[in-house]
Amino acid sequence: MRIYGDSISGNCLKVKWTADHLGLAYDWIETSVLKAESRTPQFLAMNPAGQVPAVILDDGRPLAQSNAIILHLAEGSDLIPADAYDRARMFEWMFWEQYSHEPYVAVARFQMHYLGKSAAELDPKIVERGKGALQRLDEALATSAFLVGEAVTLADVALVAYTRVAHEGGFDLADYPRVKAWVGRVEAALKIH
């Protein structure tokens, strides 16, 4: 399997961490977003959306979108709950991550950490919604160690990717103590630093 990813991207790291956790063999092809390497004719032929991550599976089929990729890789593993309701809750968090967390926490991080904007230059709605997303996580973690019960699932993989670096977008995880503790538990479970 070949994974095309940018090491600065939480969406790409989700795929790497899932593959590593499951012991899957792969070649990592560093594909810089900042250098527009996902916009070359060769890359666009593989993934017309021009986004990383993208994978070429062992049988040659391409697959894109981080959460679709990790769902495919983790099929039948302990990262996907066997119980149908818990599995649906995992999906609920994964869908929420792409719609209500990543567009704010990750965007603030990218603008500050990679584009050099100050916190004052960020769109106030991005900051407000990012804080709201982190608060939502903090409240959800009041009753369990992980987002879907007491074991790490793909919901945790999906949401820890940008949450763990939220400080790079001006968000202080000290304001969300349950989230901060959860990040540590997920990093330990997945053996990531």
Side-chain angles (χ1 to χ4, degrees):
M1 173 173 59
R2 295 191 312 271
I3 302 173
Y4 293 82
D6 190 329
S7 296
I8 70 169
S9 165
N11 284 324
C12 295
L13 291 174
K14 291 179 206 178
V15 176
K16 181 184 187 319
W17 297 333
T18 300
D20 289 346
H21 179 77
L22 298 171
L24 302 175
Y26 62 89
D27 291 322
W28 178 271
I29 294 100
E30 188 68 22
T31 309
S32 173
V33 172
L34 296 175
K35 295 178 184 174
E37 292 176 351
S38 63
R39 300 296 182 170
T40 66
Q42 180 184 5
F43 189 89
L44 291 169
M46 175 186 61
N47 180 9
Q51 297 172 319
V52 288
V55 300
I56 301 296
L57 301 171
D58 290 338
D59 62 8
R61 292 180 296 170
L63 189 59
Q65 295 299 317
S66 60
N67 286 348
I69 295 168
I70 64 176
L71 281 162
H72 179 75
L73 297 180
E75 185 71 34
S77 78
D78 62 347
L79 291 175
I80 299 176
D83 177 76
Y85 179 75
D86 286 344
R87 192 167 49 254
R89 288 181 55 228
M90 178 194 75
F91 289 132
E92 177 182 22
W93 280 113
M94 293 174 75
F95 299 152
W96 180 84
E97 180 262 341
Q98 284 292 288
Y99 187 78
S100 299
H101 180 282
E102 192 265 358
Y104 309 111
V105 175
V107 168
R109 174 193 181 237
F110 186 82
Q111 290 182 4
M112 287 183 68
H113 196 70
Y114 295 102
L115 300 183
K117 286 187 176 184
S118 69
E121 293 175 286
L122 295 177
D123 179 339
K125 285 184 181 177
I126 289 175
V127 176
E128 176 188 334
R129 291 178 180 163
K131 287 180 178 180
L134 294 170
Q135 185 62 41
R136 168 80 177 94
L137 282 176
D138 204 63
E139 291 165 4
L141 290 162
T143 57
S144 62
F146 296 98
L147 292 171
V148 183
E150 299 306 314
V152 69
T153 70
L154 290 179
D156 302 290
V157 176
L159 276 149
V160 81
Y162 285 111
T163 302
R164 69 193 291 270
V165 291
H167 62 279
E168 294 175 359
F171 302 102
D172 187 354
L173 288 187
D175 295 336
Y176 313 95
R178 288 183 289 252
V179 170
K180 188 172 183 177
W182 164 81
V183 167
R185 288 191 298 274
V186 176
E187 288 175 336
L190 298 176
K191 298 181 176 111
I192 56 176
H193 324 85

